[in-house]
Amino acid sequence: MTSVMKNEVQMKGKFHYQLSGWKYSTGIRVLLFLLLAFGFYVSLYAKLVPQVYDIVLGTTSEKTIYAPRQIENAIATEQAKEDAAKRVQPVYRIVNLKNDTLIDAIYDKLLQINADEEVKFDDKVSIYRRVIPQLISDLENDSIKSLRASGQYNVPLLEQIQTALAEQQYQLPEESYFKLPRMTKEDLAAMRPVTKDIVAKLMNDQILDAQTVRAKVAELVNTSNLTKNTSREMVTEIARVVITPNKFFDQKGTDDAKGQARENVKPVYINKNDVLVKVGDMITEEIYARLDKLELLKDKANYLPQFGLSILAALLSLVVFMFVKQSSLPIKYNNSQLVMLILIFLINVISMKIISLVQNLDYPYIGYLAPTALGTILIAILLDAPLAFVSSVLFSLMASIIFNTEHTLLFDFRYGLVSLVICFSAVFTIQRASQRATILKAGLMIAFFSMLTITSMLLMEDHFQQKEALISLSFAAAGGLLTVVFVIGLLPFFEVAFGILSPLKLVELSNPNHPLLRKLLTETPGTYHHSVMVGNLSEAAAESIGADGLLCRVGSYYHDIGKTKRPSYFIENQTNIENPHDRIDPNLSKSIIIAHPRDGVEMLKDYKMPKPIRDIAEQHHGTTLLHYFYHKAMKQAEEEGSDKEIREEDFRYPGPKAQSKEAAIVGIADSVEAAVRSLRNPTLEQIDSMVHKIIKSRLDDGQFNECDITLKELDKIAKTLNETLLGIFHSRIEYPSELAPKKSGT
């Protein structure tokens, strides 16, 4: 290599380092993760941190303030409780005071005293004045004691019963005391059942005012079978004495009923987005207290939500950091890919935020329209499927916050669950996507699984409403199609802006109708066939070690595109023509040969081919030696007797060496295909020997020093190349097991 070429390579390397230095800077990486955490914080701020206002009590409001979340209207709730308590009717208790017992006691006493002839008439009158009221009083006291002992009646009720009995007690007329001693045994026997019947009939009703009921006694007595006027008169008076109230007002029961009615009243809420204060409204104490409770006052702002959100944002960013750190993906070191990841997160969150702006309490299910899986699909296609799974969890968590309209909790599990399901289904569908139609398929799967998940939740709800179900399912179906539109629109932008070669882009580049491939086929058919063979070999080898097989195949198609500038100087295109290298100086031949990688890179740049394809074209030869022309130059100098030094460095490719596994594999496959093709009748042993010889030669020459390929992987590559070549040349290989019968003549 000349000193001028060396300086050119050094300058290019220095310039490349200056351009790409930020891509691998630790400081930049830290800043990017801080930026990611800040993005999480900003995107969730409006949902988790209430806005505050500069409000002064007694002044007019300068703006309309809406409720940031649902809150109880304490005054309206208290008024509703009072209204419910007022609607409660007074509670009364029906109490059985055993009036039959009192009737029997009175008639027994009458029979006893009237039958005693030794007691004078006047004495009997005096006895009745004293005994009958005492019997009534004793029965009432016994009844109160019995009720108290039962434990079924509260003390205020017992007091109310005692008071009502005392206030409504009936006093026998004075003349009744003079008539009772004259009642014979037969009279009393006839009077007792009539009295019981009348009292039982009247006491069967609920009696709050005994006086009203006593007025009905005379009518019932007149319809009885008693014939004597005195007997009727005495039955009337005794019945009136015995009749008492049996329905009593229960103050405590009434209070308890009112209390229960208050407890049964559901709180009255101010819903999210309801107007709290209109422009020009006076800030009353009630409004001020309500704003204070909602933490909307600037002078009483609570900064705990900001602190909590900061922790949450840091945790979300930490999840991404830890996954990236423990992975073996290029994003672990490449800040450019990290920038792309942050940009995808930003676009996905913005799309969710836009949908949330039109979401309200009347139509909360608009949230299902959001293309939550947009970011997941882009990450799965452009970066890596496992990273897409982790991102799906974060997107789902954010969706459950952004689309939460009820604010009873920080998260609404419905949107989180639907987002998680559709994101996971999108990753499973989009993996190894090789056609744009796969994105449409992913959109259909998103719509299907979103509708399926929503249906399952609706069926488990207590109140299933058909209208809500139809609206939700419609938004879910539209969300899947919207996701497809955004992905197809954004994918080319990321591919161009970040030089990403997605599987979809690689498949497009492998189309034989691509201008460069048509040029390769028409102008250098031998090189085209060689490139296709190298593509088959390199793809199989790459997949055996987990490298990008599709990139190797497509890179192989373009790796020798530089040969189209001077096709006749390459042996695979020298069909039925003289080899022009036989007539020119080996140094000129060397210059022509080693120029094809550089020419190829220039052509690929003109056609704006992605950098990984250009790198394979530039690096597939590395800095290997052109053995044929090197030895030819030495032989020519020896024959001419020249003293000019023939240096090996001057007959090497300018490089650079392979920087990736894919470039190293294409270089090995390129050499192996050319070497095996030169064999007339290759055998298994020859192919195996040739493959190992080429790999060992490149290994010893240090061609793999700048890529992360391992000896174990080189061994797998050799084994895979042998198997693939066996399939390609099987018709030309002589198998020892088939040769034996021929030699034996059988």
Side-chain angles (χ1 to χ4, degrees):
M1 183 183 298
T2 63
S3 59
V4 175
M5 293 181 65
K6 285 184 177 180
N7 291 334
E8 180 181 353
V9 171
Q10 291 175 354
M11 289 296 293
K12 287 176 65 178
K14 183 177 180 181
F15 181 67
H16 179 268
Y17 175 78
Q18 291 174 345
L19 287 180
S20 62
W22 70 271
K23 293 183 179 180
Y24 304 98
S25 169
T26 303
I28 295 295
R29 193 166 193 76
V30 172
L31 290 177
L32 288 176
F33 275 108
L34 291 177
L35 177 62
L36 180 61
F38 180 73
F40 286 132
Y41 182 89
V42 172
S43 60
L44 300 177
Y45 186 89
K47 281 288 182 178
L48 300 180
V49 179
Q51 184 180 358
V52 294
Y53 300 89
D54 189 7
I55 301 294
V56 179
L57 183 63
T59 62
T60 57
S61 176
E62 298 178 356
K63 60 180 66 177
T64 300
I65 301 176
Y66 300 90
R69 64 178 183 272
Q70 190 181 64
I71 182 177
E72 181 183 349
N73 189 337
I75 295 178
T77 301
E78 188 60 32
Q79 184 61 46
K81 289 182 177 181
E82 289 301 319
D83 293 341
K86 289 178 181 179
R87 289 192 295 269
V88 173
Q89 298 298 321
V91 177
Y92 291 90
R93 298 290 294 274
I94 305 301
V95 180
N96 183 10
L97 296 177
K98 302 178 180 180
N99 303 77
D100 287 348
T101 305
L102 179 57
I103 293 173
D104 289 333
I106 292 174
Y107 276 100
D108 289 344
K109 186 61 69 174
L110 291 174
L111 286 172
Q112 177 187 354
I113 296 175
N114 286 355
D116 191 351
E117 296 178 355
E118 296 180 359
V119 180
K120 295 180 181 180
F121 180 83
D122 292 339
D123 293 335
K124 290 181 180 179
V125 172
S126 301
I127 291 172
Y128 287 144
R129 284 197 187 102
R130 184 180 72 256
V131 170
I132 292 177
Q134 186 63 44
L135 289 174
I136 296 172
S137 178
D138 291 344
L139 178 66
E140 292 177 355
N141 292 333
D142 291 342
S143 297
I144 296 297
K145 291 179 180 179
S146 178
L147 295 175
R148 183 178 288 110
S150 68
Q152 298 179 4
Y153 302 90
N154 55 73
V155 173
L157 177 60
L158 293 174
E159 293 175 354
Q160 174 65 21
I161 293 173
Q162 195 167 11
T163 301
L165 291 176
E167 291 177 350
Q168 299 188 41
Q169 189 177 38
Y170 184 78
Q171 301 293 332
L172 280 174
E174 182 65 22
E175 61 269 19
S176 298
Y177 293 116
F178 291 93
K179 294 178 181 179
L180 288 175
R182 295 188 177 96
M183 307 305 297
T184 66
K185 179 179 180 181
E186 290 75 14
D187 292 336
L188 293 175
M191 292 166 56
R192 186 194 294 251
V194 173
T195 307
K196 284 189 175 183
D197 182 61
I198 293 173
V199 171
K201 184 179 294 185
L202 293 175
M203 292 294 294
N204 193 44
D205 295 332
Q206 297 180 10
I207 302 174
L208 184 62
D209 182 11
Q211 187 61 34
T212 303
V213 178
R214 288 167 183 158
K216 300 177 183 180
V217 173
E219 181 181 353
L220 294 175
V221 171
N222 290 334
T223 59
S224 67
N225 56 3
L226 296 177
T227 57
K228 293 183 178 181
N229 289 333
T230 307
S231 297
R232 291 181 179 181
E233 184 180 349
M234 289 300 98
V235 167
T236 301
E237 296 303 329
I238 293 173
R240 288 174 176 172
V241 168
V242 174
I243 291 174
T244 60
N246 61 3
K247 181 180 178 181
F248 303 95
F249 174 68
D250 187 355
Q251 182 65 51
K252 185 176 185 303
T254 303
D255 293 341
D256 291 344
K258 290 183 177 181
Q260 186 63 43
R262 289 190 181 94
E263 292 180 3
N264 292 338
V265 172
K266 293 182 179 180
V268 179
Y269 287 103
I270 298 173
N271 293 319
K272 179 192 174 186
N273 296 328
D274 283 354
V275 176
L276 296 174
V277 184
K278 293 182 180 179
V279 175
D281 284 354
M282 180 66 67
I283 305 298
T284 63
E285 292 185 0
E286 174 189 344
I287 295 175
Y288 191 84
R290 189 177 298 163
L291 296 176
D292 186 20
K293 188 173 182 179
L294 282 169
E295 299 176 351
L296 297 178
L297 299 178
K298 189 174 183 180
D299 57 341
K300 296 184 179 181
N302 181 11
Y303 294 99
L304 292 180
Q306 286 94 324
F307 182 66
L309 178 57
S310 301
I311 296 176
L312 177 61
L315 289 174
L316 296 180
S317 182
L318 182 63
V319 169
V320 180
F321 171 77
M322 294 304 297
F323 178 83
V324 170
K325 182 180 179 181
Q326 297 181 12
S327 70
S328 57
L329 303 174
I331 194 175
K332 182 176 182 179
Y333 307 103
N334 192 337
N335 291 337
S336 176
Q337 291 197 0
L338 184 57
V339 170
M340 180 170 61
L341 177 65
I342 294 175
L343 186 58
I344 291 173
F345 266 87
L346 180 63
I347 292 174
N348 204 59
V349 171
I350 288 176
S351 68
M352 290 193 290
K353 295 286 286 184
I354 292 175
I355 298 298
S356 70
L357 293 178
V358 295
Q359 187 187 27
N360 52 49
L361 292 175
D362 295 328
Y363 294 97
Y365 306 110
I366 293 178
Y368 295 130
L369 178 64
T372 312
L374 166 64
T376 297
I377 295 178
L378 290 174
I379 294 172
I381 294 176
L382 300 174
L383 293 170
D384 183 67
L387 181 57
F389 281 117
V390 174
S391 302
S392 298
V393 176
L394 300 183
F395 290 145
S396 303
L397 181 64
M398 297 180 71
S400 67
I401 297 175
I402 292 175
F403 298 118
N404 182 14
T405 57
E406 298 180 355
H407 286 280
T408 53
L409 294 174
L410 293 179
F411 309 94
D412 190 330
F413 79 95
R414 296 173 297 177
Y415 300 101
L417 177 60
V418 172
S419 298
L420 187 65
V421 170
I422 64 176
C423 287
F424 275 27
S425 64
V427 177
F428 286 125
T429 306
I430 209 69
Q431 283 192 85
R432 302 183 181 276
S434 58
Q435 297 179 0
R436 300 283 175 182
T438 308
I439 299 178
L440 178 59
K441 179 182 177 182
L444 295 176
M445 295 299 290
I446 289 171
F448 172 74
F449 280 104
S450 179
M451 295 171 67
L452 188 63
T453 307
I454 292 170
T455 301
S456 70
M457 292 189 295
L458 289 174
L459 292 176
M460 289 185 288
E461 288 184 355
D462 294 335
H463 304 289
F464 179 83
Q465 297 184 4
Q466 186 176 2
K467 180 181 177 182
E468 292 183 358
L470 292 176
I471 293 174
S472 300
L473 296 177
S474 300
F475 283 137
L481 299 179
L482 188 64
T483 301
V484 171
V485 172
F486 276 115
V487 170
I488 294 177
L490 290 170
L491 194 57
F493 162 75
F494 282 101
E495 290 175 341
V496 173
F498 293 92
I500 297 296
L501 259 181
S502 68
L504 302 175
K505 183 67 174 178
L506 285 171
V507 170
E508 290 179 357
L509 294 176
S510 67
N511 191 331
N513 290 322
H514 191 280
L516 283 179
L517 293 183
R518 286 205 309 269
K519 179 181 179 67
L520 188 68
L521 175 61
T522 56
E523 298 180 10
T524 57
T527 301
Y528 179 83
H529 180 264
H530 161 72
S531 298
V532 172
M533 297 294 290
V534 172
N536 293 333
L537 294 172
S538 62
E539 182 178 32
E543 290 181 348
S544 70
I545 64 170
D548 194 338
L550 186 56
L551 174 59
C552 287
R553 171 182 283 275
V554 179
S556 298
Y557 291 168
Y558 294 92
H559 81 288
D560 277 343
I561 193 67
K563 291 182 179 180
T564 57
K565 285 198 172 184
R566 305 174 189 85
S568 60
Y569 284 88
F570 298 91
I571 191 169
E572 65 267 21
N573 299 314
Q574 296 170 0
T575 305
N576 299 323
I577 64 171
E578 182 183 359
N579 189 344
H581 291 290
D582 295 339
R583 296 180 284 102
I584 61 176
D585 185 77
N587 284 287
L588 179 57
S589 296
K590 174 261 301 183
S591 299
I592 294 173
I593 297 299
I594 67 175
H596 84 270
R598 183 178 66 252
D599 294 338
V601 171
E602 295 300 325
M603 293 177 67
L604 294 172
K605 284 183 178 179
D606 292 339
Y607 280 84
K608 302 188 184 309
M609 297 294 283
K611 189 175 184 301
I613 301 294
R614 302 199 308 266
D615 289 343
I616 289 176
E618 185 179 24
Q619 301 167 14
H620 72 280
H621 280 298
T623 58
T624 54
L625 177 66
L626 290 169
H627 291 277
Y628 177 80
F629 294 108
Y630 173 64
H631 291 297
K632 183 179 179 180
M634 291 184 63
K635 184 178 180 181
Q636 182 178 336
E638 183 180 349
E639 291 176 352
E640 295 176 354
S642 174
D643 296 334
K644 182 180 178 181
E645 181 183 0
I646 306 299
R647 297 188 307 168
E648 182 178 303
E649 291 81 2
D650 295 336
F651 285 84
R652 285 184 175 273
Y653 282 94
K657 296 178 180 180
Q659 304 295 306
S660 65
K661 292 181 181 180
E662 288 77 14
I665 291 171
V666 172
I668 295 172
D670 178 54
S671 298
V672 167
E673 196 282 331
V676 174
R677 181 162 37 85
S678 66
L679 301 176
R680 291 186 177 273
N681 295 299
T683 64
L684 291 173
E685 292 77 8
Q686 287 177 322
I687 291 176
D688 182 68
S689 175
M690 185 71 71
V691 170
H692 282 88
K693 180 179 178 181
I694 290 172
I695 293 177
K696 185 176 185 303
S697 174
R698 285 188 169 239
L699 182 63
D700 293 341
D701 197 28
Q703 297 302 314
F704 305 134
N705 290 352
E706 297 181 15
C707 65
D708 57 350
I709 199 166
T710 65
L711 293 176
K712 184 178 181 180
E713 289 173 337
L714 289 173
D715 186 59
K716 286 185 178 180
I717 291 171
K719 182 179 179 180
T720 304
L721 289 175
N722 282 330
E723 294 172 352
T724 307
L725 288 168
L726 175 63
I728 295 174
F729 296 103
H730 67 280
S731 61
R732 296 165 53 188
I733 295 177
E734 297 180 356
Y735 293 90
S737 60
E738 295 179 354
L739 295 176
K742 294 181 180 179
K743 291 181 180 180
S744 63
T746 58

